[in-house]
């Protein structure tokens, strides 16, 4: 019984370390991207989108795609542009709860990319290859991305999310 507990613990710790290291490496990669001069060019181009919610959704999704990490992309986008997002939302009368919800949902928009940490961790844990699982991963993340824009439309049509 003790041997089976030890083996289960070893597997659990290995899985936790894999997820932690993937996340940490994506954050580090994201920090390097944010420090590059080209990041400012991308960020300023994204700020040209006039609608505050669409701007935030596209910006967070794009940065998550560049970094390969939903949480990394969202943290970089919010660290670099949160003041602009907040000012634009206040000017348009958009509640902060809606702004937060859109950022959180949009951060997973580029989880479709094969270099994404969540995809790599999922495949490692399930033992599947990109070839075996990628069609399903693509479909789910595409639906999730479209849901962000559905929520934006729902907010503009009804005022609630």
């Amino acid at each position: 019984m003790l041997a089976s507990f030890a083996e289960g613990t070893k597997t659990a710790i290995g899985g936790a370390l894999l997820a932690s290291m993937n996340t940490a490496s994506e954050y580090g990669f994201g920090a390097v991207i944010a420090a590059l001069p080209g990041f400012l060019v991308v960020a300023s181009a994204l700020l040209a989108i006039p609608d505050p919610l669409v701007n935030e959704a596209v910006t967070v999704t794009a940065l998550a795609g560049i970094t390969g990490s939903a949480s990394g992309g969202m943290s970089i986008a919010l660290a670099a542009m949160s003041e602009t997002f907040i000012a634009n939302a206040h000017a348009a009368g958009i509640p902060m709860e809606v702004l937060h919800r859109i950022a959180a949902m949009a951060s997973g928009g580029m989880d479709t990319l094969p270099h994404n940490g969540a995809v790599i961790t999922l495949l490692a844990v399930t033992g599947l290859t990109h070839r075996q699982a990628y069609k399903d991963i693509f479909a789910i993340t595409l639906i999730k991305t479209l849901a962000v824009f559905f929520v934006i439309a729902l907010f503009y049509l009804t005022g609630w999310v």
Side-chain angles (χ1 to χ4, degrees):
M1 175 140 157
L2 187 58
S4 122
F5 176 76
E7 188 60 36
T9 303
K10 186 169 128 182
T11 302
I13 290 172
L17 284 173
L18 173 67
S20 298
M21 294 308 289
N22 274 343
T23 302
S25 67
E26 296 296 345
Y27 268 101
F29 179 71
V32 170
I33 294 294
L36 295 174
F39 175 78
L40 295 176
V41 174
V42 172
S44 63
L46 290 169
L47 287 175
I49 300 170
D51 183 87
L53 292 178
V54 173
N55 178 300
E56 180 188 42
V58 171
T59 300
V60 170
T61 298
L63 293 176
I66 290 169
T67 63
S69 167
S71 56
M74 183 169 65
S75 67
I76 290 168
L78 295 180
M81 296 175 233
S82 63
E83 291 176 16
T84 303
F85 292 154
I86 291 169
N88 291 344
H90 283 310
I94 298 169
M96 291 298 102
E97 296 84 7
V98 173
L99 195 68
H100 175 268
R101 193 164 295 141
I102 295 302
M105 290 178 69
S107 70
M110 290 294 185
D111 280 351
T112 301
L113 298 172
H115 71 283
N116 182 278
V119 170
I120 293 168
T121 302
L122 174 71
L123 295 177
V125 169
T126 60
L128 298 172
T129 65
H130 276 82
R131 179 175 295 230
Q132 294 169 314
Y134 198 70
K135 205 180 313 178
D136 299 317
I137 292 169
F138 181 79
I140 292 298
T141 54
L142 184 64
I143 291 167
K144 181 173 59 172
T145 302
L146 293 175
V148 173
F149 295 99
F150 174 76
V151 170
I152 291 171
L154 185 66
F155 172 74
Y156 282 134
L157 291 172
T158 65
W160 53 269
V161 176

